[in-house]
Amino acid sequence: MGSWVQGVLFIFVVVCIGNAVGSGEKCDFFQGIWVRDETYPLYKPEECPFIEREFNCQKNGRMDDSYLKFRWQPQGCALQRFDGQDFLERFRGKSIMFIGDSLSRNQWQSLTCMLHTSAPRAQYNITRVGDVSIFTFMDYDVKVMLDRSVYLVDVVDEKIGRVLKLDSIQGGKLWKNIDMLIFNTWHWWNRRGPLQPWDYIQTGKKILKDMDRMIAFEEALTTWANWVDLNIDPTKSKVFFQGVSPSHYNGTSWGEPGAKNCVHEKEPLLVSTYPGGLPPALGVQKSVLSKMKKPVLLLDVTNLSLLRKDGHPSMYGLGGPTGMDCSHWCLAGVPDTWNEILYNLIL
Ligand SMILES: *[C@@H]1O[C@H](CO)[C@@H](O)[C@H](O)[C@H]1NC(C)=O
Ligand SMILES: *[C@@H]1O[C@H](CO)[C@@H](O)[C@H](O)[C@H]1NC(C)=O
Ligand SMILES: *[C@@H]1O[C@H](CO)[C@@H](O)[C@H](O)[C@H]1NC(C)=O
């Protein structure tokens, strides 16, 4: 008996020392550094026929392609390379849904490109029902869906006008019985003027013309968190929250005070800490998630994406006079890494 315990202890100690010697650091997929890797991108943009113009930088005339050839190297471990066929097999007969704003659309398109280019002969079909886009891989019976819901909570047309209801989440009807859900909301919370799609904001019984946007954001996230706690069965559905996808409109934050946007950026920052720090909205997300009863994983893309000032469409997105886009990401590009991490998290 004693020697059995000693044996187990011995193995335990050896494993611990082995880990310490082998990696030196704890594995964290979300901390690390970008390294140049000629085997990237995971797909050539021209092999994915359904990339929207908005994200199709090479087709829109972007000449540099160095930004495509970087791999995320997490601290203390390696990411397993994305295997689309394996992914499709794992999700055979199942469904995946991204819910959120255009950053969700960016990630949804990235994943469908990664899957399509891994199984180019597999038949697919794209349809749209209301606000939900449905990408079906027929041979695998896999559905990869996108529900456009920029606030997650409801915006309702009433007599007084459009009301953003921080406590109401009827939209959640569409999210039940899905095998994997990836939520996101942030970018629309600071919209004002003609770009703001509501006239009033409702919290409890109070209807206001406006309020502190960070507090509104936190209230809405809490409503969403309660919805998840009430409606999700963790044995059936995996739930993720895509963290804050950062924009690059002010070079001061990446140590280039002269830069007014991301247009001339051709390389990532090859360090592990972004000089400008983390966006405060991420702190709000982490705080809400930490109070939840059901397991929700933060797909914490902020750190790694902050370093990718080179990854945005800039003038090679929709273009035009208002078309300087340093918020979305070129495809192929940074969201492929978000999905590669997502894949590693479900392995
Ligand atoms: C595409 O998928 C939808 C269901 O998602 C189905 O109703 C439709 O028939 C499919 N179209 C084709 C051409 O297979
Ligand atoms: C960029 O950020 C710096 C520091 O926060 C600020 O002083 C500057 O005015 C900003 N530039 C622009 C164009 O907003
Ligand atoms: C990432 O976040 C951690 C704190 O969670 C911080 O210490 C680190 O510097 C951040 N890295 C970047 C690139 O901002």
Side-chain angles (χ1 to χ4, degrees), residues 78 138 180:
M138 272 101 100
M180 180 160 84

Side-chain angles (χ1 to χ4, degrees), residues 271-292:
V271 295
S272 62
T273 302
Y274 188 69
L278 295 166
L282 183 61
V284 174
Q285 289 179 357
K286 284 184 178 167
S287 142
V288 172
L289 290 183
S290 72
K291 293 177 207 140
M292 292 179 70

Side-chain angles (χ1 to χ4, degrees), residues 285-314:
Q285 289 179 357
K286 284 184 178 167
S287 142
V288 172
L289 290 183
S290 72
K291 293 177 207 140
M292 292 179 70
K293 294 188 205 74
K294 297 282 168 68
V296 174
L297 261 177
L298 179 64
L299 189 60
D300 196 353
V301 301
T302 310
N303 255 337
L304 63 102
S305 309
L306 274 169
L307 303 170
R308 295 307 305 272
K309 58 189 173 60
D310 60 325
H312 301 287
S314 70

Side-chain angles (χ1 to χ4, degrees), residues 324-344:
M324 181 53 64
D325 185 351
C326 301
S327 298
H328 299 104
W329 305 94
C330 296
L331 294 181
V334 173
D336 303 340
T337 298
W338 305 349
N339 285 320
E340 202 164 39
I341 295 175
L342 184 66
Y343 174 66
N344 277 262

Side-chain angles (χ1 to χ4, degrees), residues 123-127 134 136 138 143:
Q123 285 200 57
Y124 67 87
N125 160 359
I126 313 175
T127 52
I134 307 167
T136 311
M138 272 101 100
K143 283 191 168 54

Side-chain angles (χ1 to χ4, degrees), residues 57-58 60-67 266 316:
C57 301
Q58 296 288 313
N60 295 334
R62 182 167 179 174
M63 304 286 277
D64 61 305
D65 65 354
S66 172
Y67 74 96
K266 297 191 169 63
Y316 305 106

Side-chain angles (χ1 to χ4, degrees), residues 84-85 88 114-124 137 139-140:
Q85 300 223 359
L88 286 167
M114 289 160 77
L115 293 171
H116 167 67
T117 51
S118 309
R121 277 185 292 276
Q123 285 200 57
Y124 67 87
F137 289 89
D139 301 343
Y140 294 85

